[in-house]
Amino acid sequence: MRIVHVTQPVEAGVAAVVLELAVAQRELGWRVDVACPPGWLADRLRELRVAVHDWPASRSPGPATVAETARLRRLLAALDPDAVHLHSSKAGLAGRLALRGTRPTLFQPHLWSFQTARGALRRASVAWERYAARWTDQLVCVSDDELRAGRDLGITTPAEVVCNGVDTSALRPRSRVAARVRLGLPDAPTAVCVGRVAPLKGQDQLLAAWPSVLARVPGARLVLVGDGPMRARWEASAGHPSVRWWGHHAAVADFYTAADVVVLPSRAEGMALVPLEAMASGRTVVAFDVGGVRQSVGDAGAVVPAGDVPALADAVATRLADPLLAADEGLTGRRRAEVLFDSVRVGDQVATLVEKLVGCGR
């Protein structure tokens, strides 16, 4: 079996999923190639001796998409794979235009493009996804919410839900005090938010909630891990000493361990990895009710209405003020991660889909 993964995002959640799948499939004895732009993902794949092919591509569609598609078409023709797995909307656009049904094709949106677009761009995104269904042999959705969003807009491609997963052997409950010592954090009630600092990830909503949290838990601390286009503006407007802007950090396990509560204030998601990683680390989660969150978190924390800043503040403060509640939800989360969201299970599910698809094609 030879499979090619194509992705535009090369950091954060999508990149982590691609990395896990590539390594798992290579361990099955498959020949695995990954086409992506330069960045963290390409570097990690090379360290692990997975074949990487440079595919320069921007995040958004535009005039350059024509050249990106032509380059990808040549690359896929040279590699001659049994199946192609496209990750994210941009890879889904260029990959399906390049292949046009000539090879078994899996498409995994990791959050539909039309869920974050507005106006004419949203209408164009919906029209494209309906049209491109003819060149999609297998749609892979990371949550029931993501599948429902596609079905509601008439995208009828054969589909399976394969929830995201995490390595529950690497991410485990560990000493909170020791993690804080390693990071140089004070031993105080601590909320942690991990993610790219951008409007979609909603750190501004968490910052708006934070004064209410401090009013109930005066000694609380907030640690924001990540970088992105909005960091400078949001950091300048929320310069409270209780807020620590950590910036990008490649290894986030210590931050989960150091937390009393992990917060996901996103405006939209497919199924975010952050809650899964937090649960695997035995930490409670507070999140807005966006795509995949209720399915992943369950009763391992609090899921509040999307955009309801006062509800977010109340849920965070309640858990910072009640360590027993937070610890109990953390134990529940660990069990959920082990049973439902282990990366081995995810790799097996995707491998089965690919084998079935290629078998039918042959």
Side-chain angles (χ1 to χ4, degrees), residues 3 7 12 48 52 73 90 106 128 138 163 199 233 266 270 281 286 300 305 324 347:
I3 186 168
T7 179
L48 296 170
V52 182
R73 182 184 298 116
K90 185 57 179 292
L106 299 89
W128 158 251
Q138 180 68 62
C163 294
R233 181 186 299 181
S266 299
S281 303
V286 171
L324 291 179

Side-chain angles (χ1 to χ4, degrees), residues 4-25:
V4 176
H5 293 270
V6 184
T7 179
Q8 192 283 327
V10 291
E11 59 185 18
V14 176
V17 171
V18 175
L19 180 65
E20 289 275 2
L21 289 176
V23 172
Q25 290 169 354

Side-chain angles (χ1 to χ4, degrees), residues 4-5 64 123 132 141 150 153 187 201 205 212 219 239 277 289 338 359:
V4 176
H5 293 270
R123 292 191 292 274
C141 292
L153 291 173
D187 190 16
K201 296 300 181 181
Q205 300 185 105
S212 297
E277 292 170 341
D289 191 4
E338 288 177 318

Side-chain angles (χ1 to χ4, degrees), residues 193-210:
C193 178
V194 178
R196 185 169 181 263
V197 185
L200 185 67
K201 296 300 181 181
Q203 288 91 344
D204 57 322
Q205 300 185 105
L206 175 55
L207 291 168
W210 191 244

Side-chain angles (χ1 to χ4, degrees), residues 51-109:
V52 182
H53 306 271
D54 188 30
W55 178 57
S58 61
R59 181 176 288 268
S60 301
T65 302
V66 175
E68 293 164 356
T69 300
R71 184 184 181 96
L72 185 59
R73 182 184 298 116
R74 292 192 296 271
L75 175 60
L76 293 174
L79 293 174
D80 191 24
D82 294 298
V84 178
H85 192 153
L86 307 170
H87 299 266
S88 79
S89 296
K90 185 57 179 292
L93 171 63
R96 286 178 290 182
L97 284 173
L99 292 168
R100 301 192 183 193
T102 57
R103 296 177 189 274
T105 302
L106 299 89
F107 172 50
Q108 191 163 350

